[in-house]
Amino acid sequence: MKNSFFSRFTPKEPKFFPLLKQLSEVLVSSSAVLVESMNYDRADERDSYYKRIKDLEREGDRLAHRIFDELGTTFITPFDREDIQALASHMDDVIDGINSCAKRISIYKPRPIGESGKELSLLVQQEADCICKAMDELERFRKNPAQLREYCTRLHDIENQADDVYEHFIKRLFEEEKDCIEIIKIKEIMQILEKTTDSAEHVGKVLRTLIVKYA
Amino acid sequence: MKNSFFSRFTPKEPKFFPLLKQLSEVLVSSSAVLVESMNYDRADERDSYYKRIKDLEREGDRLAHRIFDELGTTFITPFDREDIQALASHMDDVIDGINSCAKRISIYKPRPIGESGKELSLLVQQEADCICKAMDELERFRKNPAQLREYCTRLHDIENQADDVYEHFIKRLFEEEKDCIEIIKIKEIMQILEKTTDSAEHVGKVLRTLIVKYA
Amino acid sequence: MKNSFFSRFTPKEPKFFPLLKQLSEVLVSSSAVLVESMNYDRADERDSYYKRIKDLEREGDRLAHRIFDELGTTFITPFDREDIQALASHMDDVIDGINSCAKRISIYKPRPIGESGKELSLLVQQEADCICKAMDELERFRKNPAQLREYCTRLHDIENQADDVYEHFIKRLFEEEKDCIEIIKIKEIMQILEKTTDSAEHVGKVLRTLIVKYA
């Protein structure tokens, strides 16, 4: 874990890019499992999806901490230290959000969540895919930021869509659902999903900062 | 958006002060609309207030991001970079809190919220006014910090008042309201208002740090 | 509060260690009062425990702010500025969490919380003790990090235990409790306790960073 004296001074260490890419791939896997899980409503099915997502969450955690450790021991980094830290920790937040959602579905045992749950988790998956592609741009956006800029716009747009889906859903939930305990359960689950799309947009905001600073 | 080579090195760029002032004015407007909205309980009235607050929230967002972009491209700043960033992002949090509150009133359609909602939003407005006046002190507190110090104290006091109003309200809500769904709705709305007064006090804490560092 | 020109340049000021230690002692006291409070269910008893915890919370707040002020005016610090700041602010978060929990028990007046509440608050107390001992290692872990590393592992393990206690409790709460208002009250209180154990683990994460950077 400790770098030798020399390796600390090797300029522009490229190791952060593959680590960030790997983290984004864990995010993609995790969002794909979440989308798939939305088709299953039996307790044992939900538990088994939660287990898979939890394993991915731990893998993401390990990767994020490796990035933080490298930041603490590397002298020269390709971008400002806090930008790399922010990229890793916001990606980790998205993975955490997916995990929180699956966990609550498994322990709250709500009634089937329906179309809006599927819609929101599909939006999370689209954001994950977009973030993963954006990681490939980190090495080249200084020369041509157009593609990275487009991913930022896309993340912003998806988040707006998620807001609308969520608002519409909650309005209907309060109008139609009369079982107070179901409201508590489902509202919290959907709120977590909506916050997860926010975290994904935060990744986009950091990418936008990088363009402003470096391109 | 990009500064020329020279402008990056112009010392102590004063542009941050007008931007922070503008952001605080958006905050003042937004809190005034919130206070006014508390007098109206019909769904269409609530929706139209939410719309106005949402527009202000977007304006605040644009201003905050302009400040972050300037921070990323300006070499010399009047205070530590992270203090300017914190001022802008905490003001943005207050504006976000006001927006969250109005949004929930519009989509949850709770019963009329009553006097405590008005009281709390008046406190948010007082905090906003105080923050806006404090922004005028940024250029002069190094010589005489007394006025800025007074604003910090006032923000702290208002937040304590808000705590008391909130605690008292929630106690009574659980004693008197028996409709569980109304409890869910109104508790969340009041909780957001109370957190919004916290965010305003965070602005005061950053200002206090500035006095410690620079006065 | 203001340091003289010379004191700002005295290298490796040791004053941060005693301040961090004091803050950890406030945390230990506060967690001990919380554990004791869990044996009492009458409203007046709960109120008096909340009062004691609130006083400790204010003391913690004062200490944390003193640390932040010192950071703003000290030129050379024993570790990176942001690590000291993170240690103080995460300890403060744990103290805040304890206070939030006691406050809600006092104002929500839930039915007796039972064994799981006691279990979770005992875990918070164990974390507090562990953090307090870890503060003694700050001056010596560079030479021998084994002990500090062990405390980090312990904090991580306790947090995992807390997760399990919480999940198990919430599962049973939704299965057994049919009074929706009690669910709202107790779920929120237990959620705050569980988040408090997370904040304690965050202290451990910062300590781990220190080992990576400095040992």
Side-chain angles (χ1 to χ4, degrees), chain C residues 5-86:
Chain C
F5 179 81
F6 278 115
S7 75
R8 285 192 68 161
F9 293 90
T10 310
K12 311 270 166 197
E13 303 246 357
K15 66 192 162 189
F16 289 106
F17 297 138
L19 283 171
L20 289 167
K21 180 71 187 177
Q22 266 177 275
L23 185 56
S24 73
E25 285 164 350
V26 172
L27 167 55
V28 167
S29 307
S30 161
S31 70
V33 179
L34 181 73
V35 167
E36 208 194 316
S37 78
M38 290 287 163
N39 296 312
Y40 299 91
D41 293 320
R42 271 188 6 230
D44 61 327
E45 293 165 341
R46 286 167 163 183
D47 289 351
S48 94
Y49 279 105
Y50 169 40
K51 215 197 138 316
R52 283 168 64 191
I53 286 173
K54 197 178 187 173
D55 288 343
L56 287 162
E57 191 264 340
R58 288 194 178 149
E59 202 179 320
D61 222 42
R62 265 191 302 276
L63 275 166
H65 278 95
R66 219 180 115 202
I67 294 170
F68 301 151
D69 286 351
E70 298 275 0
L71 281 174
T73 53
T74 305
F75 198 73
I76 294 176
T77 55
F79 308 123
D80 280 349
R81 210 165 285 274
E82 70 259 29
D83 295 323
I84 299 175
Q85 158 114 25

Side-chain angles (χ1 to χ4, degrees), chain A residues 17-36:
Chain A
F17 297 137
L19 283 172
L20 289 167
K21 179 73 186 176
Q22 266 178 276
L23 185 56
S24 73
E25 285 164 350
V26 173
L27 167 55
V28 166
S29 307
S30 162
S31 69
V33 179
L34 181 72
V35 166
E36 207 194 316

Side-chain angles (χ1 to χ4, degrees), chain B residues 160 163 166-167 170-171 174-175 177-178 180 183-184 187 191 205 208-209 211-213 215, chain C residues 1-2 8 50 54 58 61 65 69 72-73 103-104 106-109 180-181 184-185 188:
Chain B
N160 277 348
D163 268 0
Y166 176 73
E167 278 192 33
I170 290 292
K171 231 181 224 171
F174 276 123
E175 283 161 11
E177 178 68 67
K178 294 305 160 204
C180 183
I183 289 181
I184 294 175
K187 180 165 156 292
Q191 226 159 9
K205 285 181 181 170
R208 214 179 137 275
T209 307
I211 296 175
V212 171
K213 278 189 185 171
Chain C
M1 195 150 300
K2 211 58 153 323
R8 285 192 68 161
Y50 169 40
K54 197 178 187 173
R58 288 194 178 149
D61 222 42
H65 278 95
D69 286 351
T73 53
K103 177 182 180 169
R104 275 165 182 77
S106 157
I107 66 179
Y108 290 5
K109 304 190 178 67
C180 182
I181 296 181
I184 294 176
K185 292 174 172 177
E188 187 174 317

